[in-house]
Amino acid sequence: MSDKTARDRTRNVELNDIYIHTSQQPWLLFSPGIEFKVLRATQETGHWTVLFKCARGAAFARHEHLGAGEYYMVSGKMEIRG
């Protein structure tokens, strides 16, 4: 293990953050035609970051978030009505 890897692991424990290696995680079903992977989530603020993969025509109902969120689309298109 490199010094940087050891330092990063120690620091991440101190910060209580969990970072995910997305290539090792399965896509999770969000709703029909929409899958996601969590990149980061924090208990302190409720903030989250996810990857979305959406099939053409897929949609989900209006909803609210308890914390700030950000997402990255890897395929598909999203329309947001705020």
Side-chain angles (χ1 to χ4, degrees):
M1 178 176 358
S2 73
D3 291 340
K4 180 184 181 315
T5 300
R7 184 191 70 228
D8 289 349
R9 283 186 181 170
T10 300
R11 186 73 175 132
N12 286 345
V13 168
E14 292 170 2
L15 295 172
N16 293 319
D17 278 348
I18 298 171
Y19 290 89
I20 305 299
H21 294 278
T22 59
S23 63
Q24 299 171 6
Q25 300 299 315
W27 286 98
L28 303 173
L29 184 63
F30 182 76
S31 65
I34 302 174
E35 297 176 298
F36 75 103
K37 290 185 181 189
V38 176
L39 297 179
R40 181 174 184 268
T42 179
Q43 293 180 14
E44 292 82 9
T45 64
H47 180 265
W48 51 267
T49 305
V50 297
L51 288 176
F52 274 114
K53 183 169 64 170
C54 303
R56 182 180 296 275
F60 52 89
R62 182 182 176 96
H63 62 282
E64 295 181 16
H65 297 179
L66 299 176
E70 62 185 351
Y71 56 87
Y72 296 96
M73 297 290 298
V74 294
S75 68
K77 176 177 126 178
M78 185 178 288
E79 180 180 327
I80 300 173
R81 299 176 187 174

